[in-house]
């Protein structure tokens, strides 16, 4: 294998924890239209950045997480009327800046500020998930973060089963919003390291050539590569 271009942290069942190195040829394959056709429909979605509206609830469906619309449209499934729930979700979203990278938003050593960021994320995840939170009925960790990532593509990571297992050390079936927030902070700490930033810069440059006109944040590129590494490791 040629010199690694990027390292990602994923953990499929039966695979040891740790960083997995991906070379440039493989990164190019993962980012190609053949391997990542979803970029054309998910990553080009445009919409309001400070509010979560009814039509936004379909966004996870463009990235392999279609919500249960039958349940979503059942008024009894909501703990409060849908307009009120979306208003509360929008208020929580508004506390997060738009054009800031996750690793710049989460300070490295200022514990009070880190705790504040963690609380903001917990509130946001609580306002946009179902389960015990009873906010958006059919939403779990993956659907929640796939919606929020389109609102904050540089700040909210997509937390699917591979990411959850690698960073929380447990299956996402038993997700908790506090753990989701902790995953985001752990990712911020790792991805701000100079070596990781150099890797992400190189991947970002490559992606601009492969997807001209499509804005793919470094956080999103890390997610795409992580997803494909996870799927490849599951097949071994």
């Amino acid at each position: 294998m040629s010199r690694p271009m990027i390292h990602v942290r994923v953990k499929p069942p039966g695979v040891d924890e740790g960083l997995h190195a991906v070379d440039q040829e493989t990164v190019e394959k993962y980012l190609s239209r053949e391997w990542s056709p979803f970029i054309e429909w998910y990553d080009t979605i445009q919409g309001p950045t400070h509010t979560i509206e009814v039509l936004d609830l379909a966004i996870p469906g463009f990235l392999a997480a279609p919500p249960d619309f039958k349940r979503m449209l059942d008024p009894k499934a909501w703990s409060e009327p849908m307009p009120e729930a979306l208003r509360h979700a929008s208020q929580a979203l508004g506390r997060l800046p738009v054009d800031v990278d996750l690793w710049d938003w989460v300070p490295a050593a200022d514990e009070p500020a880190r705790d504040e960021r963690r609380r903001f994320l917990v509130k946001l995840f609580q306002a946009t998930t179902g389960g015990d939170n009873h906010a958006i009925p059919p939403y779990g960790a993956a659907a929640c973060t796939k919606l929020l990532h389109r609102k904050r593509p540089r700040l909210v990571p997509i937390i699917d089963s591979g990411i959850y297992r690698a960073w929380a050390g447990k299956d996402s079936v038993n997700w908790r919003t506090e753990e989701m927030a902790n995953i985001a902070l752990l990712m911020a700490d790792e991805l701000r390291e100079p070596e990781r930033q150099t890797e992400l810069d190189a991947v970002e440059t490559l992606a601009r050539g492969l997807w001209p006109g499509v804005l793919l944040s470094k956080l999103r590129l890390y997610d795409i590569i992580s997803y494909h590494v996870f799927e490849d490791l599951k097949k071994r």
Side-chain angles (χ1 to χ4, degrees), residues 46-134:
Q46 302 293 321
T49 58
H50 292 288
T51 59
I52 296 175
E53 302 178 358
V54 173
L55 292 179
D56 292 330
L57 300 179
I59 287 176
F62 290 85
L63 199 59
D68 182 348
F69 285 106
K70 183 176 181 180
R71 186 179 174 206
M72 185 181 290
L73 295 175
D74 179 4
K76 296 179 182 178
W78 296 74
S79 60
E80 60 182 346
M82 184 190 294
E84 284 298 299
L86 296 182
R87 184 174 66 82
H88 291 150
S90 298
Q91 288 175 343
L93 175 67
R95 297 189 180 98
L96 274 64
V98 176
D99 296 320
V100 177
D101 289 313
L102 173 64
W103 41 86
D104 291 329
W105 184 64
V106 175
D110 186 338
E111 285 304 320
R114 287 174 65 87
D115 287 342
E116 179 189 59
R117 303 297 193 267
R118 184 183 290 106
R119 288 195 299 271
F120 284 169
L121 289 170
V122 169
K123 290 290 187 183
L124 179 59
F125 295 151
Q126 286 175 340
T128 49
T129 52
D132 292 339
N133 297 316
H134 305 292

Side-chain angles (χ1 to χ4, degrees), residues 76-200:
K76 296 179 182 178
W78 296 74
S79 60
E80 60 182 346
M82 184 190 294
E84 284 298 299
L86 296 182
R87 184 174 66 82
H88 291 150
S90 298
Q91 288 175 343
L93 175 67
R95 297 189 180 98
L96 274 64
V98 176
D99 296 320
V100 177
D101 289 313
L102 173 64
W103 41 86
D104 291 329
W105 184 64
V106 175
D110 186 338
E111 285 304 320
R114 287 174 65 87
D115 287 342
E116 179 189 59
R117 303 297 193 267
R118 184 183 290 106
R119 288 195 299 271
F120 284 169
L121 289 170
V122 169
K123 290 290 187 183
L124 179 59
F125 295 151
Q126 286 175 340
T128 49
T129 52
D132 292 339
N133 297 316
H134 305 292
I136 299 180
Y139 269 31
C144 159
T145 52
K146 287 177 180 182
L147 165 61
L148 295 174
H149 180 77
R150 287 309 306 147
K151 300 292 183 177
R152 298 289 184 275
R154 294 172 59 182
L155 199 150
V156 177
I158 294 175
I159 303 176
D160 58 14
S161 58
I163 293 294
Y164 206 104
R165 179 185 288 269
W167 295 86
K170 59 184 286 189
D171 290 332
S172 59
V173 174
N174 300 312
W175 58 268
R176 293 183 58 82
T177 48
E178 293 84 357
E179 290 169 342
M180 292 167 62
N182 287 337
I183 288 171
L185 265 64
L186 289 171
M187 291 181 71
D189 291 340
E190 182 162 303
L191 296 181
R192 79 158 57 87
E193 292 296 322
E195 183 179 358
R196 298 290 165 262
Q197 284 295 306
T198 298
E199 293 175 350
L200 288 169

Side-chain angles (χ1 to χ4, degrees), residues 26-41 44 206-216 224 228:
T26 305
V27 169
E28 288 187 34
K29 179 182 73 173
Y30 286 162
L31 294 178
S32 69
R33 281 171 167 76
E34 179 182 0
W35 279 68
S36 297
F38 45 77
I39 289 175
E40 288 190 292
W41 50 81
T44 58
L206 178 63
R208 285 174 183 158
L210 294 171
W211 291 94
V214 179
L215 296 177
L216 295 165
I224 294 170
H228 285 303

